[in-house]
Amino acid sequence: MLDYSTALICACAEDEKSFLRTKEMGLHADAFTDPYASNVWDALCANFSEGLSHEKLELDMRLQEMFPETAPDINSWLSLSTAEVGKFDGADKWLDHVTTAWQAKRKQEALAEVTELAAQGAEPSEIARELADRLTAIEDSTGLEEHRLEKQRDAVKKHNEARIQGNAGLITTGIGFIDHQLGKVRSHEYIVCGARPSVGKSALARELMMSIVKTKKQPVLMFSLEMPVDEVVLNLASTNCGVSVRNVEDDFEPNKEKLIEENRRFADALGKFLHIKDGLCEIRDIEHEIGLAMRRYRPAMVIIDYLQLMQASHLKVRREQEVAYISRRLKLLANQYRVPMLVLAQLNRVSEQEEREPKLSDLRESGSLEQDADAVWFLHRPKDAKMVNGVQERKFIQAKRRGGE
């Protein structure tokens, strides 16, 4: 697998804009980990300094002049690497990674040199001053910070202009009261949906999952910590065809056939539109899976069922602090990848015991949930709930919405 510096040097050799942008960052040959990549960089810089055109022929001639013995091997390596890289639309990301790694390498070298001064008996104040000066010089020697600021400016302009025009950052769920009464879900929102057991939060999550797939034709990623994949798929199939799974074994044969057909359809959708992960509860594993998903198929929403089953076992802290840490990590993931995150959560027993509607303080195990969340939804089964078409009514409460009602 190619590293970032090899991918970047391939982009520089093929595309003059990538080369000029990299040169503006002040990189030297030692920023590239592969010796052949360093050779190509030196050859490109030599041609640039002499005002020669950025063409393959000029690069080949320069490599033969500077590295006569290894030029054929360098050219072969460059051709194979370029074919493996393919498109160069990731050049900005590669440049960012390579520059950051190069800075870190130079800082380590500066630290080693200053440590040598300490071994020679230099004064602590002199050592501190020397290290500070060197680190500042390294930071100032590249345009990394300006490069990141420029990317940030462009991203802010693009996102906000698209949002003002009404065609960016909003997710249509396909569920009427959410889309029209509560306001569509924004692309970076961290939503906590709380309820007591068996009130319907998992059913709501599955309904959202199906609606988004149908309306947006985009995949959804779900982490099912409570139920295995086969049970989630059977429940999806049951909801979609209107056949209950509770007593399906004793039901009429046509209903069984109908449910079997729906089950096959939803099972075939696994890995296409439906990405359901079970058996994962560690936040580190879930973070890794979300990162892979964003690179491979970019889900329209991430759903976690449910938060209190998640763990951060590498932390040796009280459970409340562990849940707070997990909640914060999920919030940061939603912001980082600009993907809405729906996290189901258990409520404590107080609202049930007091026979009242739930409130923010009822979120179980951590007060940080209500602080981190952009929106908090509650499902509540009132004591006097009516039966409508064989289904007991639920009350949907939006207890918090950042920037909304």
Side-chain angles (χ1 to χ4, degrees), residues 105-345:
K105 175 186 173 184
R106 293 172 66 200
K107 287 176 181 177
Q108 285 291 337
E109 291 171 352
L111 182 60
E113 291 170 4
V114 171
T115 303
E116 185 63 30
L117 288 177
Q120 294 171 8
E123 289 292 324
S125 58
E126 181 187 348
I127 295 168
R129 196 164 50 247
E130 180 69 19
L131 181 59
D133 289 345
R134 292 195 185 199
L135 293 180
T136 301
I138 292 168
E139 291 282 354
D140 293 344
S141 66
T142 69
L144 183 60
E145 186 60 27
E146 183 54 38
H147 173 68
R148 288 174 175 167
L149 285 170
E150 186 179 342
K151 284 170 63 180
Q152 184 184 51
R153 293 184 200 110
D154 291 342
V156 167
K157 288 175 190 173
K158 183 178 179 181
H159 177 76
N160 285 347
E161 285 169 14
R163 182 176 175 183
I164 290 165
Q165 292 168 359
N167 56 9
L170 298 175
I171 304 297
T172 302
T173 67
I175 298 178
F177 74 89
I178 292 178
D179 292 337
H180 304 301
Q181 291 173 258
L182 303 182
K184 295 176 184 177
V185 174
R186 290 187 282 270
S187 63
H188 62 281
E189 283 191 314
Y190 172 51
I191 302 166
V192 174
C193 179
R196 291 292 296 151
S198 301
V199 174
K201 57 184 181 296
S202 294
L204 175 65
R206 292 193 297 269
E207 185 69 31
L208 269 169
M209 193 175 192
M210 285 196 298
S211 295
I212 290 172
V213 167
K214 289 177 182 177
T215 57
K216 291 187 68 65
K217 302 292 188 288
Q218 283 183 259
V220 175
L221 172 61
M222 178 186 222
F223 293 93
S224 180
L225 283 66
E226 190 174 30
M227 290 190 289
V229 172
D230 56 296
E231 192 170 343
V232 177
V233 169
L234 188 59
N235 276 295
L236 287 167
S238 166
T239 302
N240 205 48
C241 70
V243 176
S244 173
V245 296
R246 287 184 180 178
N247 302 306
V248 70
E249 296 89 348
D250 304 320
D251 210 337
F252 295 110
E253 201 62 36
N255 283 346
K256 293 183 181 182
E257 292 174 3
K258 191 175 181 181
L259 187 55
I260 286 170
E261 183 59 32
E262 281 299 291
N263 180 68
R264 286 173 178 165
R265 286 181 61 235
F266 277 93
D268 286 340
L270 288 171
K272 298 172 184 175
F273 288 105
L274 304 177
H275 295 263
I276 304 170
K277 307 287 182 181
D278 61 6
L280 296 177
C281 60
E282 284 287 338
I283 180 62
R284 287 177 168 178
D285 295 334
I286 288 172
E287 283 183 288
H288 176 68
E289 287 291 336
I290 291 173
L292 287 178
M294 298 310 295
R295 290 194 293 275
R296 290 174 177 170
Y297 54 86
R298 191 161 189 86
M301 178 177 276
V302 175
I303 298 171
I304 296 178
D305 184 12
Y306 58 94
L307 184 135
Q308 278 83 6
L309 292 177
M310 293 179 68
Q311 298 174 359
S313 56
H314 61 287
L315 301 178
K316 305 302 178 185
V317 295
R318 290 183 293 110
R319 179 58 183 166
E320 185 175 336
Q321 293 172 305
E322 186 180 11
V323 172
Y325 172 82
I326 292 168
S327 174
R328 190 62 187 155
R329 295 304 304 166
L330 295 174
K331 167 70 173 175
L332 292 173
L333 285 170
N335 275 335
Q336 178 184 350
Y337 293 117
R338 299 200 73 82
V339 60
M341 188 91 60
L342 175 64
V343 179
L344 309 186

Side-chain angles (χ1 to χ4, degrees), residues 53-103:
S53 62
H54 195 88
E55 294 179 3
K56 186 70 169 64
L57 179 61
E58 295 289 358
L59 177 60
D60 291 346
M61 292 174 65
R62 181 64 69 175
L63 286 170
Q64 289 173 20
E65 177 189 320
M66 296 177 68
F67 313 102
E69 294 182 3
T70 56
D73 293 335
I74 296 171
N75 269 312
S76 176
W77 170 85
L78 185 59
S79 296
L80 289 172
S81 299
T82 302
E84 193 173 341
V85 171
K87 295 181 180 179
F88 297 109
D89 51 9
D92 266 0
K93 180 181 77 173
W94 305 333
L95 178 57
D96 198 61
H97 275 276
V98 173
T99 307
T100 302
W102 187 52
Q103 278 192 348

